[in-house]
Amino acid sequence: MSASENNSSSKEPVLLQNLPKPALQSIYHAVTGKTETMSDSLMGNVIINRNNIDELYLSIQDLLSVHKLECKPTTTIIVKYNNSKSVTYSSWERYKSLFTTNNDITSELIIKIECLLDIPGTVQPQRCVINISLDSSLPVLASDKLKNELAEDLSLFFFLRNDWRAGYISIDFVDFIIAKGIISTFKEWFDNLDKAPERKITKLFLKHQVLVRNCIRNSGVIGVAALIITTSFTHKVLDINLLARLIGICFIIYSLFSIFSNKIEESVFKTIISGMIHTILLISDRDNAEYKKIVEKVPSGPVIIIKSLSSLMLNISLGIVSSYIYSYFTGK
């Protein structure tokens, strides 16, 4: 074959009907672009395992199978981990057959489903893209460093107020009824998931976290007040020397507490936070192992109450005891 003949054959047009349907779907996507978009976020604390994910995928497939499809939907699964690693599976079948558990903690799982639907009243097949994201709090709960930062900085209030965004779904669609049905299926699936364990007292303390924090920070002042009030009952008259000693003791109590107040506050809020477990994805062996450790460390309600009020009660008790010790040594 001559060079001219070879060049001529390379310029022969490619007929669209000869292309595979996935290629046609990609071309259609590039030409039409996005249509309308519907999205929703689900807040709450639930436990999601691999069986739950299978149920979600099959539910959406069942819903799509009711409609006439131009070709089999294409599915992409992305699993993200706490160390910035991620693995992408090009189909659901590859995800099921190739997924291997590892020593990383799962932080997010994304399911993307694309399909072409033959909808009555439309000239051409209509593109539908479903994006589902499931977010896990396990990387935060399993990290002592992140939990310490959380206890120190309550501006991370989205976490503390039970506003963890467990699931997010967005749909690029043409038919509103179909999109609404998919979102309803997602919500129904989410509502039937097992709830994460939590202590009700934790939610109460977090709701009034400003009051709890102010009590901790002002416990030294309250302890000094307890000392002065108790001393006023045990000493009818205070001369200048006794008054000077009393003021000195007050400063000692207040200074000691001021030195350790930050550590006390951090310890108290770490205990409070430990009483609430947010949404967790249990996909890998490491996920299950870390979750088991966290559940075992969840403090009981009485422990949370005692730990939260310990600073305040300790300083009041310290003030009262200091007053009697002061009375003993002064002989009055």
Side-chain angles (χ1 to χ4, degrees), residues 283-311:
I283 298 178
S284 67
D285 291 340
R286 177 73 183 280
D287 295 337
N288 286 279
E290 292 294 336
Y291 175 66
K292 184 177 180 180
K293 292 179 183 177
I294 291 171
V295 171
E296 291 174 349
K297 293 180 180 178
V298 173
S300 63
V303 170
I304 296 175
I305 295 174
I306 293 172
K307 190 67 176 287
S308 302
L309 300 178
S310 60
S311 175

mmCIF file of all heavy atoms in Angstrom, residues 283-311:
data_model
loop_
_atom_site.group_PDB
_atom_site.id
_atom_site.type_symbol
_atom_site.label_atom_id
_atom_site.label_comp_id
_atom_site.label_asym_id
_atom_site.label_seq_id
_atom_site.Cartn_x
_atom_site.Cartn_y
_atom_site.Cartn_z
ATOM 1 N N ILE A 283 -15.573 -0.268 56.752
ATOM 2 C CA ILE A 283 -15.292 -0.945 55.487
ATOM 3 C C ILE A 283 -14.071 -1.858 55.602
ATOM 4 O O ILE A 283 -14.090 -2.995 55.147
ATOM 5 C CB ILE A 283 -15.086 0.090 54.356
ATOM 6 C CG1 ILE A 283 -16.379 0.897 54.163
ATOM 7 C CG2 ILE A 283 -14.679 -0.591 53.057
ATOM 8 C CD1 ILE A 283 -16.271 1.967 53.128
ATOM 9 N N SER A 284 -13.016 -1.360 56.218
ATOM 10 C CA SER A 284 -11.780 -2.146 56.335
ATOM 11 C C SER A 284 -11.680 -2.779 57.723
ATOM 12 O O SER A 284 -12.424 -2.427 58.648
ATOM 13 C CB SER A 284 -10.561 -1.248 56.078
ATOM 14 O OG SER A 284 -10.431 -0.280 57.115
ATOM 15 N N ASP A 285 -10.737 -3.702 57.855
ATOM 16 C CA ASP A 285 -10.486 -4.326 59.161
ATOM 17 C C ASP A 285 -10.030 -3.287 60.169
ATOM 18 O O ASP A 285 -10.377 -3.364 61.358
ATOM 19 C CB ASP A 285 -9.415 -5.415 59.019
ATOM 20 C CG ASP A 285 -9.924 -6.608 58.220
ATOM 21 O OD1 ASP A 285 -11.159 -6.761 58.124
ATOM 22 O OD2 ASP A 285 -9.094 -7.362 57.690
ATOM 23 N N ARG A 286 -9.247 -2.322 59.713
ATOM 24 C CA ARG A 286 -8.775 -1.258 60.603
ATOM 25 C C ARG A 286 -9.946 -0.422 61.116
ATOM 26 O O ARG A 286 -9.970 -0.026 62.291
ATOM 27 C CB ARG A 286 -7.783 -0.368 59.844
ATOM 28 C CG ARG A 286 -7.260 0.838 60.644
ATOM 29 C CD ARG A 286 -6.284 0.450 61.711
ATOM 30 N NE ARG A 286 -5.855 1.591 62.504
ATOM 31 C CZ ARG A 286 -4.921 2.466 62.122
ATOM 32 N NH1 ARG A 286 -4.306 2.318 60.941
ATOM 33 N NH2 ARG A 286 -4.586 3.464 62.912
ATOM 34 N N ASP A 287 -10.936 -0.176 60.257
ATOM 35 C CA ASP A 287 -12.124 0.570 60.684
ATOM 36 C C ASP A 287 -12.822 -0.137 61.842
ATOM 37 O O ASP A 287 -13.169 0.485 62.853
ATOM 38 C CB ASP A 287 -13.110 0.726 59.521
ATOM 39 C CG ASP A 287 -12.561 1.574 58.398
ATOM 40 O OD1 ASP A 287 -11.658 2.386 58.662
ATOM 41 O OD2 ASP A 287 -13.023 1.408 57.260
ATOM 42 N N ASN A 288 -13.023 -1.433 61.702
ATOM 43 C CA ASN A 288 -13.712 -2.205 62.737
ATOM 44 C C ASN A 288 -12.916 -2.255 64.035
ATOM 45 O O ASN A 288 -13.488 -2.153 65.129
ATOM 46 C CB ASN A 288 -13.981 -3.629 62.232
ATOM 47 C CG ASN A 288 -15.101 -3.687 61.214
ATOM 48 O OD1 ASN A 288 -16.277 -3.698 61.553
ATOM 49 N ND2 ASN A 288 -14.734 -3.720 59.947
ATOM 50 N N ALA A 289 -11.583 -2.386 63.918
ATOM 51 C CA ALA A 289 -10.741 -2.450 65.112
ATOM 52 C C ALA A 289 -10.757 -1.122 65.872
ATOM 53 O O ALA A 289 -10.881 -1.098 67.102
ATOM 54 C CB ALA A 289 -9.308 -2.821 64.721
ATOM 55 N N GLU A 290 -10.653 -0.007 65.145
ATOM 56 C CA GLU A 290 -10.649 1.309 65.787
ATOM 57 C C GLU A 290 -12.016 1.628 66.392
ATOM 58 O O GLU A 290 -12.099 2.218 67.475
ATOM 59 C CB GLU A 290 -10.257 2.392 64.781
ATOM 60 C CG GLU A 290 -8.813 2.339 64.308
ATOM 61 C CD GLU A 290 -7.830 2.622 65.426
ATOM 62 O OE1 GLU A 290 -8.207 3.281 66.416
ATOM 63 O OE2 GLU A 290 -6.665 2.191 65.314
ATOM 64 N N TYR A 291 -13.068 1.230 65.705
ATOM 65 C CA TYR A 291 -14.412 1.476 66.232
ATOM 66 C C TYR A 291 -14.638 0.720 67.537
ATOM 67 O O TYR A 291 -15.223 1.253 68.484
ATOM 68 C CB TYR A 291 -15.447 1.062 65.191
ATOM 69 C CG TYR A 291 -16.871 1.153 65.678
ATOM 70 C CD1 TYR A 291 -17.442 2.376 65.995
ATOM 71 C CD2 TYR A 291 -17.652 0.005 65.828
ATOM 72 C CE1 TYR A 291 -18.756 2.470 66.443
ATOM 73 C CE2 TYR A 291 -18.955 0.089 66.280
ATOM 74 C CZ TYR A 291 -19.500 1.317 66.577
ATOM 75 O OH TYR A 291 -20.788 1.401 67.037
ATOM 76 N N LYS A 292 -14.147 -0.501 67.599
ATOM 77 C CA LYS A 292 -14.286 -1.299 68.815
ATOM 78 C C LYS A 292 -13.569 -0.631 69.980
ATOM 79 O O LYS A 292 -14.088 -0.582 71.109
ATOM 80 C CB LYS A 292 -13.727 -2.703 68.577
ATOM 81 C CG LYS A 292 -13.908 -3.645 69.752
ATOM 82 C CD LYS A 292 -13.395 -5.033 69.427
ATOM 83 C CE LYS A 292 -13.573 -5.974 70.622
ATOM 84 N NZ LYS A 292 -13.062 -7.341 70.321
ATOM 85 N N LYS A 293 -12.379 -0.085 69.735
ATOM 86 C CA LYS A 293 -11.631 0.610 70.789
ATOM 87 C C LYS A 293 -12.395 1.837 71.282
ATOM 88 O O LYS A 293 -12.450 2.107 72.488
ATOM 89 C CB LYS A 293 -10.257 1.043 70.263
ATOM 90 C CG LYS A 293 -9.305 -0.099 69.959
ATOM 91 C CD LYS A 293 -7.995 0.460 69.423
ATOM 92 C CE LYS A 293 -7.023 -0.642 69.029
ATOM 93 N NZ LYS A 293 -5.783 -0.088 68.449
ATOM 94 N N ILE A 294 -12.971 2.579 70.341
ATOM 95 C CA ILE A 294 -13.685 3.812 70.696
ATOM 96 C C ILE A 294 -14.915 3.503 71.540
ATOM 97 O O ILE A 294 -15.190 4.176 72.540
ATOM 98 C CB ILE A 294 -14.068 4.580 69.418
ATOM 99 C CG1 ILE A 294 -12.799 5.129 68.754
ATOM 100 C CG2 ILE A 294 -15.028 5.721 69.740
ATOM 101 C CD1 ILE A 294 -13.050 5.714 67.386
ATOM 102 N N VAL A 295 -15.670 2.477 71.152
ATOM 103 C CA VAL A 295 -16.880 2.103 71.897
ATOM 104 C C VAL A 295 -16.525 1.682 73.321
ATOM 105 O O VAL A 295 -17.234 2.012 74.283
ATOM 106 C CB VAL A 295 -17.628 0.970 71.169
ATOM 107 C CG1 VAL A 295 -18.748 0.420 72.033
ATOM 108 C CG2 VAL A 295 -18.191 1.477 69.845
ATOM 109 N N GLU A 296 -15.427 0.968 73.468
ATOM 110 C CA GLU A 296 -15.003 0.517 74.799
ATOM 111 C C GLU A 296 -14.613 1.691 75.693
ATOM 112 O O GLU A 296 -14.693 1.595 76.925
ATOM 113 C CB GLU A 296 -13.827 -0.451 74.666
ATOM 114 C CG GLU A 296 -14.201 -1.796 74.048
ATOM 115 C CD GLU A 296 -12.998 -2.682 73.806
ATOM 116 O OE1 GLU A 296 -11.853 -2.168 73.927
ATOM 117 O OE2 GLU A 296 -13.181 -3.874 73.497
ATOM 118 N N LYS A 297 -14.195 2.804 75.087
ATOM 119 C CA LYS A 297 -13.746 3.959 75.863
ATOM 120 C C LYS A 297 -14.844 4.983 76.115
ATOM 121 O O LYS A 297 -14.599 6.000 76.777
ATOM 122 C CB LYS A 297 -12.578 4.650 75.136
ATOM 123 C CG LYS A 297 -11.313 3.813 75.071
ATOM 124 C CD LYS A 297 -10.213 4.556 74.338
ATOM 125 C CE LYS A 297 -8.940 3.732 74.263
ATOM 126 N NZ LYS A 297 -7.868 4.440 73.514
ATOM 127 N N VAL A 298 -16.036 4.744 75.575
ATOM 128 C CA VAL A 298 -17.127 5.698 75.793
ATOM 129 C C VAL A 298 -17.476 5.729 77.276
ATOM 130 O O VAL A 298 -17.880 4.710 77.844
ATOM 131 C CB VAL A 298 -18.366 5.312 74.964
ATOM 132 C CG1 VAL A 298 -19.547 6.209 75.331
ATOM 133 C CG2 VAL A 298 -18.061 5.421 73.476
ATOM 134 N N PRO A 299 -17.329 6.879 77.931
ATOM 135 C CA PRO A 299 -17.613 6.946 79.375
ATOM 136 C C PRO A 299 -19.107 6.878 79.659
ATOM 137 O O PRO A 299 -19.931 7.231 78.811
ATOM 138 C CB PRO A 299 -17.025 8.301 79.776
ATOM 139 C CG PRO A 299 -17.103 9.124 78.532
ATOM 140 C CD PRO A 299 -16.883 8.176 77.390
ATOM 141 N N SER A 300 -19.450 6.430 80.844
ATOM 142 C CA SER A 300 -20.853 6.381 81.247
ATOM 143 C C SER A 300 -21.356 7.792 81.559
ATOM 144 O O SER A 300 -20.571 8.727 81.736
ATOM 145 C CB SER A 300 -21.012 5.482 82.473
ATOM 146 O OG SER A 300 -20.299 6.021 83.582
ATOM 147 N N GLY A 301 -22.679 7.932 81.651
ATOM 148 C CA GLY A 301 -23.271 9.230 81.954
ATOM 149 C C GLY A 301 -22.788 9.818 83.275
ATOM 150 O O GLY A 301 -22.381 10.993 83.328
ATOM 151 N N PRO A 302 -22.792 9.037 84.391
ATOM 152 C CA PRO A 302 -22.303 9.572 85.665
ATOM 153 C C PRO A 302 -20.850 10.027 85.617
ATOM 154 O O PRO A 302 -20.492 11.034 86.232
ATOM 155 C CB PRO A 302 -22.481 8.390 86.631
ATOM 156 C CG PRO A 302 -23.603 7.594 86.043
ATOM 157 C CD PRO A 302 -23.434 7.713 84.563
ATOM 158 N N VAL A 303 -20.023 9.297 84.868
ATOM 159 C CA VAL A 303 -18.608 9.683 84.756
ATOM 160 C C VAL A 303 -18.478 11.033 84.055
ATOM 161 O O VAL A 303 -17.680 11.888 84.462
ATOM 162 C CB VAL A 303 -17.810 8.605 83.990
ATOM 163 C CG1 VAL A 303 -16.408 9.109 83.652
ATOM 164 C CG2 VAL A 303 -17.713 7.328 84.810
ATOM 165 N N ILE A 304 -19.271 11.239 83.006
ATOM 166 C CA ILE A 304 -19.236 12.521 82.291
ATOM 167 C C ILE A 304 -19.672 13.662 83.203
ATOM 168 O O ILE A 304 -19.074 14.744 83.212
ATOM 169 C CB ILE A 304 -20.132 12.454 81.035
ATOM 170 C CG1 ILE A 304 -19.577 11.422 80.044
ATOM 171 C CG2 ILE A 304 -20.229 13.824 80.372
ATOM 172 C CD1 ILE A 304 -20.465 11.207 78.838
ATOM 173 N N ILE A 305 -20.723 13.432 83.998
ATOM 174 C CA ILE A 305 -21.213 14.473 84.909
ATOM 175 C C ILE A 305 -20.169 14.803 85.962
ATOM 176 O O ILE A 305 -19.858 15.980 86.218
ATOM 177 C CB ILE A 305 -22.524 14.010 85.581
ATOM 178 C CG1 ILE A 305 -23.631 13.858 84.537
ATOM 179 C CG2 ILE A 305 -22.951 15.004 86.668
ATOM 180 C CD1 ILE A 305 -24.913 13.277 85.098
ATOM 181 N N ILE A 306 -19.599 13.765 86.585
ATOM 182 C CA ILE A 306 -18.597 13.982 87.642
ATOM 183 C C ILE A 306 -17.373 14.694 87.084
ATOM 184 O O ILE A 306 -16.860 15.640 87.693
ATOM 185 C CB ILE A 306 -18.199 12.629 88.279
ATOM 186 C CG1 ILE A 306 -19.389 12.034 89.031
ATOM 187 C CG2 ILE A 306 -17.008 12.805 89.219
ATOM 188 C CD1 ILE A 306 -19.153 10.622 89.536
ATOM 189 N N LYS A 307 -16.901 14.258 85.888
ATOM 190 C CA LYS A 307 -15.716 14.877 85.310
ATOM 191 C C LYS A 307 -15.979 16.328 84.926
ATOM 192 O O LYS A 307 -15.120 17.197 85.105
ATOM 193 C CB LYS A 307 -15.289 14.082 84.068
ATOM 194 C CG LYS A 307 -13.942 14.466 83.502
ATOM 195 C CD LYS A 307 -12.818 14.104 84.431
ATOM 196 C CE LYS A 307 -11.462 14.410 83.815
ATOM 197 N NZ LYS A 307 -11.110 13.449 82.732
ATOM 198 N N SER A 308 -17.168 16.606 84.423
ATOM 199 C CA SER A 308 -17.496 17.967 83.990
ATOM 200 C C SER A 308 -17.601 18.936 85.162
ATOM 201 O O SER A 308 -17.252 20.115 85.041
ATOM 202 C CB SER A 308 -18.807 17.959 83.201
ATOM 203 O OG SER A 308 -18.713 17.107 82.078
ATOM 204 N N LEU A 309 -18.112 18.446 86.299
ATOM 205 C CA LEU A 309 -18.312 19.318 87.460
ATOM 206 C C LEU A 309 -17.174 19.213 88.477
ATOM 207 O O LEU A 309 -17.199 19.891 89.506
ATOM 208 C CB LEU A 309 -19.635 18.969 88.153
ATOM 209 C CG LEU A 309 -20.899 19.108 87.293
ATOM 210 C CD1 LEU A 309 -22.125 18.682 88.093
ATOM 211 C CD2 LEU A 309 -21.053 20.537 86.791
ATOM 212 N N SER A 310 -16.184 18.367 88.175
ATOM 213 C CA SER A 310 -15.115 18.116 89.149
ATOM 214 C C SER A 310 -14.314 19.370 89.469
ATOM 215 O O SER A 310 -13.964 19.615 90.628
ATOM 216 C CB SER A 310 -14.175 17.027 88.634
ATOM 217 O OG SER A 310 -13.589 17.419 87.400
ATOM 218 N N SER A 311 -14.021 20.168 88.461
ATOM 219 C CA SER A 311 -13.224 21.376 88.686
ATOM 220 C C SER A 311 -13.942 22.347 89.615
ATOM 221 O O SER A 311 -13.345 22.894 90.558
ATOM 222 C CB SER A 311 -12.928 22.058 87.346
ATOM 223 O OG SER A 311 -12.272 23.283 87.539
#
